[in-house]
Amino acid sequence: MAIIAKKIQENKTKAIGVLKNSLSAAPDFIFTDYRGLTVEQITNLRKQLRAKEVKYKVVKNNFAKIAFEQLSAPDVSAYLTGPTAVAITPKDPNEVAKIFYDFLKEVPALKVKGALIGGTVYNAAQTEAFSKLPGRLELISMLMSVMNGPARNLAAALNDVPARIVRTIKAVADKKGEGAA
């Protein structure tokens, strides 16, 4: 009977620590399968993601499982199989999901496996539905538009009263001018 010694390797614990630090920097993650993408395509995708301050990292699945467990995140081990790259999203995950699904239209080799957004695990279909929702900035602009509506209507109504008085006085003056002539 063979005895299996479990020796903790220092370089692996360091790699897990580095990955854990990267993952703890953001609350939201999108998991993808990058198999079949060329270097140029991955570079283009990373450039688009970098514009949104997103890190796109290829991860070792075992290291990522351990790092997510140490962060007390929900179980995402179903998405950590096969070649996996994780988009670490510090801000608006909706915009990042839109980038992935727009990129997927051009390059169908990319596959979105799922996401961890706001502490909730989404599968690929739910992530796609999430990408179709309006983003944070769009929702804020919709809210501001709704909030400005009553104020705009009140201002128009208040401006209408003096304008009506001016038009009435002008009409009376025009009528008197016609009668005098």
Side-chain angles (χ1 to χ4, degrees):
M1 180 169 220
I3 298 174
I4 300 172
K6 292 194 175 187
K7 184 179 175 184
I8 298 174
Q9 295 181 0
E10 200 173 309
N11 60 345
K12 289 184 179 181
T13 56
K14 283 182 182 178
I16 292 170
V18 169
L19 182 59
K20 182 181 167 187
N21 286 340
S22 294
L23 295 176
S24 65
D28 304 312
F29 311 94
I30 297 176
F31 305 96
T32 62
D33 181 350
Y34 60 90
R35 216 178 339 198
L37 295 178
T38 64
V39 173
E40 183 182 334
Q41 291 167 335
I42 289 178
T43 304
N44 184 23
L45 178 61
R46 280 194 167 133
K47 183 179 177 184
Q48 291 177 28
L49 293 171
R50 213 173 296 120
K52 299 291 181 186
E53 299 175 20
V54 175
K55 290 182 183 174
Y56 189 59
K57 294 185 80 145
V58 174
V59 296
K60 284 191 168 237
N61 293 328
N62 288 333
F63 291 179
K65 287 176 188 175
I66 293 168
F68 276 112
E69 285 174 9
Q70 289 179 357
L71 291 172
S72 301
D75 183 26
V76 293
S77 60
Y79 305 121
L80 296 172
T81 57
T84 305
V86 180
I88 303 169
T89 310
K91 291 185 180 174
D92 192 4
N94 181 270
E95 290 181 17
V96 177
K98 287 180 185 198
I99 290 172
F100 276 116
Y101 282 98
D102 287 344
F103 188 79
L104 204 137
K105 290 175 187 172
E106 299 170 17
V107 184
L110 178 74
K111 289 180 181 48
V112 176
K113 295 180 177 183
L116 174 62
I117 299 171
T120 305
V121 179
Y122 295 118
N123 62 25
Q126 292 169 327
T127 305
E128 184 176 6
F130 177 73
S131 74
K132 294 178 182 174
L133 294 173
R136 181 176 178 269
L137 294 177
E138 292 172 67
L139 289 172
I140 289 172
S141 68
M142 289 173 161
L143 177 64
M144 294 308 294
S145 172
V146 169
M147 291 174 66
N148 279 340
R152 197 177 318 119
N153 291 342
L154 177 64
L158 291 175
N159 283 338
D160 191 43
V161 173
R164 282 186 185 182
I165 292 172
V166 169
R167 284 193 302 265
T168 305
I169 293 172
K170 182 159 176 38
V172 169
D174 289 346
K175 201 170 211 179
K176 284 187 178 183
E178 287 176 8

